[in-house]
């Protein structure tokens, strides 16, 4: 899904220790670069001193299979003549992982839940739930009162293959990227984490405070305005989260370009990426309430007279989340 007609700089992935070493002889420190990039501040070009890097690149490849796909996009026009050229975006992915190739045995050597002859990874939660939530949101905004800004709905392709559709759309957006004031991504909102009944009121909110505190606050206010507010859990927004959930769904492609995002998620469960992620397990009432939260948040963001301020303070909700959980404040 990358465009082969355009040059792309090679990306190098390594741990912090490597980069600290790499910059150790230079005037610029790695810590400084990292903190500037977190704050979305411009990085000035500099030269590495005292190190020589040699890359051995084997760029030979054979194309074994080409598959083409599309993102699906819809727009509902806003009501304000000036603000309607700016957008609140919504994302969900409509691809999934296809068929299970191998014999139905789990890593622990047991049979997984569900029909052993069913080889289709149904993806009802991942991300059938987000896909239909977006359709409901699009219908609500198309038929109900119009906010001042326009609404952009993107059903992304290729998420499971590495956020391909969202990365493509962030690189080649259908509306100017600087007109997108926020991106609300929904990926798996139809279940309880690990099937725990105690989770029935919980939605994991990831990334909301990282780029725009104002957007984070809009989501909190929107939740408080609901007849039955949800428990907003920020555990998975912890930068030390071993699963790195913040980088693992389509919102990340937009966040990487500095756009304020919120990721809504109800957490992992044993049916993830298995045939047993099937529709009869979807908790429709919970899913509806989360979709109503997304609606209320979007409505607020789309009616603001200014774009949600990008203060780039990074994740702060870790402690808050724990406090709330521990002391039952919310
Ligand atoms: Zn997904």
């Amino acid at each position: 899904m990358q465009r082969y007609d355009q040059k792309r700089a090679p990306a190098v992935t390594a741990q912090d220790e490597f980069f600290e070493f790499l910059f150790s002889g230079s005037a610029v420190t790695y810590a400084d670069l990292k903190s500037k990039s977190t704050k979305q501040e411009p990085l000035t070009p500099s030269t590495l001193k005292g190190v020589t890097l040699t890359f051995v690149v084997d760029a030979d490849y054979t194309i074994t299979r080409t598959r083409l796909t599309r993102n699906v996009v819809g727009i509902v026009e806003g009501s304000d003549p000036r603000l309607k050229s700016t957008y609140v975006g919504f994302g969900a992915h409509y691809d999934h992982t296809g068929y299970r190739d191998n014999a139905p045995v789990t890593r622990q050597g047991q049979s997984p839940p569900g029909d052993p002859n069913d080889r289709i990874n149904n993806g009802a939660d991942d991300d059938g739930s987000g896909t239909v939530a977006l359709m409901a949101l699009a219908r609500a905004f198309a038929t109900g009162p119009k906010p001042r800004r326009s609404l952009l709905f993107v059903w992304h392709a290729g998420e499971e293959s590495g956020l391909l559709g969202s990365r493509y759309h962030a690189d080649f957006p259908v509306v100017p990227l600087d007109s997108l004031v926020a991106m609300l991504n929904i990926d798996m909102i139809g279940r309880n984490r690990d099937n725990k009944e105690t989770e029935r009121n919980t939605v994991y909110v990831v990334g909301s405070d990282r780029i725009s505190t104002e957007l984070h606050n809009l989501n909190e206010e929107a939740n408080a305005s609901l007849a039955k507010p949800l428990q907003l859990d920020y555990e998975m927004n912890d930068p030390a989260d071993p699963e790195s959930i913040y980088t693992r769904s389509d919102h990340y492609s937009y966040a990487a370009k500095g756009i304020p995002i919120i990721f809504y998620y109800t957490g992992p469960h044993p049916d993830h990426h298995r045939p047993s992620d099937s529709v009869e397990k979807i908790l429709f009432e919970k899913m509806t309430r989360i979709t109503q939260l997304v609606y209320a948040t979007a409505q607020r963001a789309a009616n603001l007279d200014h774009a949600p301020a990008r203060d780039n303070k990074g994740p702060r909700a870790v402690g808050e989340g724990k406090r709330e959980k521990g002391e039952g404040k919310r």
Side-chain angles (χ1 to χ4, degrees):
M1 205 87 141
Q2 283 170 25
R3 288 182 61 143
Y4 294 111
D5 56 345
Q6 303 211 344
K7 286 184 184 161
R8 202 176 177 106
V12 179
T13 308
Q15 290 183 319
D16 283 1
E17 292 75 17
F18 171 79
F19 288 113
E20 276 154 18
F21 171 73
L22 201 60
F23 287 92
S24 54
S26 305
V28 184
T29 69
Y30 172 62
D32 188 36
L33 281 178
K34 197 176 170 184
S35 99
K36 277 191 174 156
S37 109
T38 308
K39 292 182 208 144
Q40 302 269 335
E41 288 171 8
L43 304 178
T44 41
S46 63
T47 312
L48 286 176
K49 295 229 173 68
V51 281
T52 309
L53 284 174
T54 308
F55 291 94
V56 181
V57 180
D58 178 358
D60 284 344
Y61 61 91
T62 313
I63 296 172
T64 55
R65 188 163 53 159
T66 301
R67 287 183 292 178
L68 300 177
T69 183
R70 290 171 191 272
N71 291 324
V72 178
V73 178
I75 287 176
V76 173
E77 202 171 74
S79 61
D80 184 292
R82 189 174 55 88
L83 290 177
K84 71 178 183 183
S85 61
T86 64
Y87 298 82
V88 171
F90 303 83
H93 70 89
Y94 76 90
D95 65 299
H96 195 46
T97 55
Y99 292 89
R100 179 179 54 194
D101 290 328
N102 301 319
V105 174
T106 66
R107 261 173 260 152
Q108 291 77 35
Q110 296 143 358
S111 290
D115 176 358
N117 297 314
D118 186 359
R119 290 178 56 236
I120 298 170
N121 291 332
N122 287 297
D125 188 30
D126 184 15
D127 186 22
S129 62
T131 304
V132 301
L134 240 65
M135 289 197 275
L137 286 161
R139 185 168 61 185
F141 279 113
T143 58
K146 302 284 178 293
R148 299 171 71 190
R149 288 198 166 73
S150 297
L151 294 322
L152 174 72
F153 300 89
V154 189
W155 288 269
H156 295 107
E159 191 269 352
E160 300 285 3
S161 308
L163 316 186
L164 298 181
S166 56
R167 214 166 76 192
Y168 184 90
H169 184 250
D171 282 347
F172 307 99
V174 293
V175 300
L177 209 60
D178 58 8
S179 69
L180 189 57
V181 305
M183 189 71 187
L184 311 178
N185 183 42
I186 309 176
D187 190 357
M188 298 172 67
I189 55 159
R191 298 285 296 269
N192 287 333
R193 181 184 190 175
D194 295 327
N195 292 327
K196 285 187 184 136
E197 187 49 32
T198 49
E199 291 272 317
R200 69 187 181 282
N201 204 36
T202 299
V203 59
Y204 293 89
V205 178
V206 184
S208 60
D209 61 349
R210 295 194 180 209
I211 297 169
S212 171
T213 309
E214 191 171 13
L215 182 65
H216 173 86
N217 293 340
L218 290 180
N219 188 58
E220 291 260 340
E221 284 167 32
N223 187 49
S225 77
L226 299 178
K228 231 171 109 186
L230 289 143
Q231 168 86 34
L232 308 182
D233 193 315
Y234 296 105
E235 176 192 327
M236 295 183 199
N237 190 40
D238 186 336
D241 170 22
E243 294 287 329
S244 187
I245 293 294
Y246 180 63
T247 65
R248 290 204 12 219
S249 185
D250 290 321
H251 56 275
Y252 187 64
S253 301
Y254 299 88
K257 303 249 178 187
I259 296 166
I261 63 94
I262 304 180
F263 173 34
Y264 300 90
Y265 176 47
T266 47
H269 51 74
D271 302 306
H272 184 236
H273 289 190
R274 295 182 185 281
S276 53
D277 180 3
S278 48
V279 70
E280 75 278 0
K281 292 177 186 154
I282 295 294
L283 307 169
F284 284 100
E285 197 242 331
K286 178 176 184 177
M287 201 175 120
T288 305
R289 290 172 58 206
I290 297 170
T291 309
Q292 284 163 346
L293 167 62
V294 179
Y295 179 87
T297 302
Q299 211 177 29
R300 282 167 167 74
N303 280 324
L304 275 187
D305 56 5
H306 58 281
R310 303 180 184 189
D311 50 358
N312 296 302
K313 288 193 173 163
R316 281 147 292 147
V318 189
E320 275 172 42
K322 285 194 179 129
R323 241 190 350 265
E324 281 159 15
K325 264 189 152 177
E327 298 170 20
K329 274 194 179 168
R330 194 171 302 271

